[in-house]
Amino acid sequence: VEGGRAAPRLATATGPRPPRRSGPPEALDLAEIRRRAVLHRERGEEAQAARWASAWVAREPESAEALLLLASVRASDGRPEEAISLLRRALYFDPSFVLGNVRLGELLAASGRAAEARGCLTNALAQLEAMDDAASVPGSPDLTVGSLRGLVSSRLSSPRWSR
């Protein structure tokens, strides 16, 4: 404390250090749980990302975004069938969740289910056709509709997806 005021927080390589709130996930509000899940995933801290994403899904079991995050962690952990199940659940709750269709298609293709994968990507492409190219993809502010549309189109034209 300097002159009656708290010293400023030190900056880290990833920016200012966030305020620390301690306690188990159930003691924190939903926004903090979500923030921690995303932060740990972005940092590649899979065990912590899984912990916080699981807490997010426990609080919001119908959140497609939470289910996608947990599915991504499960896929990274070498549990693709669990990831596929989580993504199917996300799309059950939100059939218009384009990122869910794309990620599910990728996982299905990797597991040798090309016809199912193609169906997911075809659904995603149809959803993207209805959106403005310059808009951000819902659930991914750093990704534009146009760039995702190009990626999905190129995957659909690839021989890997037609086997």
Side-chain angles (χ1 to χ4, degrees):
V1 176
E2 299 172 6
R5 294 188 309 187
R9 291 193 175 271
L10 297 176
T12 63
T14 59
R17 206 176 287 162
R20 303 291 264 155
R21 294 189 212 172
S22 61
E26 50 281 350
L28 300 174
D29 66 24
L30 185 59
E32 180 64 13
I33 291 170
R34 180 189 180 284
R35 186 191 71 76
R36 288 184 184 201
V38 170
L39 179 68
H40 288 294
R41 178 68 178 147
E42 288 172 351
R43 291 181 176 170
E45 299 166 352
E46 299 301 318
Q48 286 299 312
R51 175 182 180 222
W52 292 101
S54 294
W56 184 7
V57 169
R59 288 270 189 97
E60 273 192 311
E62 296 179 13
S63 168
E65 189 179 354
L67 291 162
L68 173 66
L69 183 65
L70 185 56
S72 295
V73 171
R74 294 301 183 231
S76 294
D77 287 347
R79 295 157 53 182
E81 291 306 316
E82 187 177 342
I84 287 169
S85 177
L86 288 163
L87 289 167
R88 289 188 193 283
R89 190 168 137 200
L91 290 166
Y92 173 81
F93 292 123
D94 185 359
S96 68
F97 189 47
V98 69
L99 288 176
N101 269 312
V102 172
R103 188 67 177 125
L104 180 57
E106 291 171 343
L107 288 170
L108 290 167
S111 67
R113 295 180 258 184
E116 284 181 272
R118 191 165 187 73
C120 290
L121 289 189
T122 301
N123 288 342
L125 191 58
Q127 293 167 332
L128 291 165
E129 292 296 333
M131 298 178 192
D132 177 35
D133 276 355
S136 292
V137 174
S140 184
D142 298 332
L143 182 62
T144 66
V145 167
S147 62
L148 185 58
R149 183 182 298 130
L151 176 74
V152 170
S153 293
S154 70
R155 289 200 177 151
L156 282 170
S157 65
S158 165
R160 174 183 177 207
W161 296 84
S162 60
R163 284 186 249 151

